[in-house]
Amino acid sequence: MVHKPRNSLLASGVSKYSRSQVIAKRALYKRKPAGTVAAAPAVANKTVEVKGAKNGGKRVIAASKAPRFYAAEDVPTPLKNRKHAGTAKLRSTIVPGTVLILLAGRYRGKRVVFLKQLESGLLLVSGPFKVNGVPLKRVNQAYVIATSTKVDIDASKIDAQLNDAYFARAKAGKKAATEEAFFEGEKKKEPLAENKVALQKSTDKVILEAVNKVEHLRQYLSAKFSLSKGQAPHALKF
Amino acid sequence: MNANTCFPSGHEEPRSGRSETQHSRPATLYAKGRVLGFKRAKRNQRPDISLIQIEGVKTAADTDFYLGKRVAFVYRAKREVNGSKIRCIWGRITRTHGGSGAVKARFRNNLPAKSFGASVRVMMYPSRV
């Protein structure tokens, strides 16, 4: 709500009101409290009959158990972190269908088609696989150069299944097998799940349709980018 | 095959007409640079910041592309570490130095003075293009 500022500066770094004073100035007279939260029904202590003479006949069992362990010294707990990193802003040069050059990683130098930006901020990208061997993959914007070449694809045609959860690593949680596996040696590489292969093919089909319409674009995507003699990146026009 | 010459014009063509004899050795995804020395005044030097000359960069205006880019000083050693005799010190280009295209870089560990005159790889990432 827009109103006059609640605080003011007396001098550099010195405000007129402290934090708690500023918060107290909230015009509560015109606000209704949200409604008191209903107190959780108090669980009464249980009283239990105990057998045996001289035992007092009854025991009172507390509703909530006391902790079994008390630290010898007070350990300072770290303050809660309330900061969250925002998601990366997509560069204006990167648009669904843009051909990107991967600068680092296993596929460095490859030219690749940009599909969409995922919630984590990473870019979803595909070779297409048939053309240059790059599968559906997430890539960080900082490790990519956007070229001015664009493939005409419809962003809405990209499968909604493709999100960050799709790329999460399968948990290897077989604790029982670890000892044997350790002595066995190398882990067998599992073949890619069938639904992932199918999704790769269907996504690439859409891209390839658009790619094949443009002359030389397929060969362009299959060629690797490289700086050659005398080329300085700052002088290149991508 | 030289990937850059066979394709539709307007893509990755060098803006300035540069003759091929001007610069030495091809590099793949990085620009070549040389370590000029440490940041220094006439009689004192500050080894935490090194000066780098990037090939093909002749003016301070040109260096804008390279600011923030990561730099790698790659060198060989006798003892094998983690399965390789090749080692690397990573750094970043922090700012321009002077008016003729030199640049200041800060490395994770300071460069050894042995590196003066040695080659350095200026990567093209983090990219802002």
Side-chain angles (χ1 to χ4, degrees):
Chain A
M1 277 220 321
V2 182
H3 52 67
K4 70 178 197 297
R6 288 183 190 147
N7 209 346
S8 58
L9 271 190
L10 297 175
S12 166
V14 182
S15 3
K16 187 171 178 187
Y17 296 107
S18 73
R19 272 187 222 210
S20 39
Q21 287 173 329
V22 172
I23 288 175
K25 295 210 257 177
R26 271 178 309 163
L28 286 176
Y29 65 88
K30 53 176 171 177
R31 294 189 198 202
K32 275 210 178 122
T36 47
V37 177
V43 184
N45 292 349
K46 262 197 330 185
T47 316
V48 166
E49 295 277 331
V50 177
K51 293 184 211 150
K54 296 189 194 171
N55 254 350
K58 288 182 191 170
R59 289 277 181 277
V60 177
I61 300 176
S64 55
K65 255 181 158 180
R68 298 178 77 193
F69 172 75
Y70 290 93
E73 288 164 6
D74 278 333
V75 177
T77 45
L79 294 172
K80 257 193 185 174
N81 187 4
R82 286 173 294 188
K83 301 177 195 168
H84 340 266
T87 40
K89 187 174 156 203
L90 193 60
R91 269 181 245 153
S92 59
T93 48
I94 301 179
V95 145
T98 309
V99 174
L100 306 173
I101 300 176
L102 299 181
L103 294 174
R106 182 183 162 184
Y107 300 103
R108 56 181 158 272
K110 299 258 187 188
R111 295 179 172 108
V112 130
V113 179
F114 168 68
L115 299 175
K116 68 174 181 179
Q117 184 179 32
L118 303 173
E119 307 87 51
S120 60
L122 298 174
L123 309 181
L124 176 66
V125 131
S126 179
F129 187 70
K130 260 201 181 170
V131 174
N132 52 23
V134 180
L136 283 166
K137 185 176 169 27
R138 294 185 297 176
V139 146
N140 190 315
Q141 231 188 132
Y143 294 88
V144 135
I145 285 187
T147 63
S148 53
T149 315
K150 297 208 182 0
V151 175
D152 185 22
I153 53 171
D154 190 2
S156 56
K157 282 204 182 148
I158 300 160
D159 202 317
Q161 260 185 71
L162 292 168
N163 54 16
D164 289 301
Y166 176 84
F167 291 99
R169 286 213 190 152
K171 285 192 180 171
K174 290 151 210 155
K175 283 188 182 173
T178 40
E179 275 220 26
E180 302 168 29
F182 185 80
F183 291 111
E184 234 173 72
E186 289 172 29
K187 281 178 274 178
K188 283 176 286 176
K189 203 177 174 192
E190 284 180 19
L192 196 58
E194 266 194 43
N195 68 325
K196 290 198 173 182
V197 174
L199 197 51
Q200 174 82 56
K201 284 192 182 161
S202 62
T203 318
D204 283 354
K205 196 164 156 231
V206 176
I207 306 174
L208 281 170
E209 269 171 27
V211 164
N212 289 329
K213 287 186 198 155
V214 180
E215 217 189 342
H216 301 310
L217 189 52
R218 198 193 168 106
Q219 288 92 311
Y220 178 64
L221 288 175
S222 63
K224 262 188 163 186
F225 170 78
S226 166
L227 289 171
S228 63
K229 188 166 159 179
Q231 282 187 326
H234 73 278
L236 294 183
K237 181 167 163 55
F238 291 102
Chain B
M1 98 173 161
N2 185 344
N4 295 305
T5 53
C6 320
F7 297 100
S9 62
H11 302 290
E12 290 129 274
E13 276 180 8
R15 250 192 243 142
S16 49
R18 200 175 284 285
S19 73
E20 304 241 355
T21 52
Q22 269 186 6
H23 301 286
S24 53
R25 296 193 277 160
T28 27
L29 288 173
Y30 54 86
K32 291 195 82 345
R34 291 265 172 203
V35 178
L36 299 175
F38 293 142
K39 167 184 173 189
R40 58 177 303 171
K42 188 169 186 178
R43 298 190 174 90
N44 298 316
Q45 60 185 11
R46 315 288 176 196
D48 50 345
I49 297 181
S50 302
L51 305 177
I52 311 273
Q53 178 75 51
I54 307 175
E55 260 184 37
V57 181
K58 296 285 176 62
T59 60
D62 288 343
T63 61
D64 181 64
F65 173 88
Y66 298 96
L67 298 184
K69 299 289 184 284
R70 300 185 68 194
V71 198
F73 170 61
V74 183
Y75 61 106
R76 290 173 185 270
K78 198 165 170 195
R79 188 166 57 99
E80 210 174 282
V81 165
N82 279 341
S84 170
K85 290 190 176 176
I86 299 176
R87 302 185 194 172
C88 179
I89 303 180
W90 282 99
R92 288 184 190 245
I93 292 183
T94 54
R95 50 185 291 202
T96 312
H97 178 77
S100 300
V103 125
K104 290 189 193 167
R106 191 168 221 148
F107 288 81
R108 240 178 242 176
N109 293 308
N110 296 346
L111 289 186
K114 200 165 73 157
S115 65
F116 294 171
S119 297
V120 119
R121 299 185 194 186
V122 180
M123 313 311 275
M124 302 205 326
Y125 53 82
S127 159
R128 287 172 289 145
V129 167

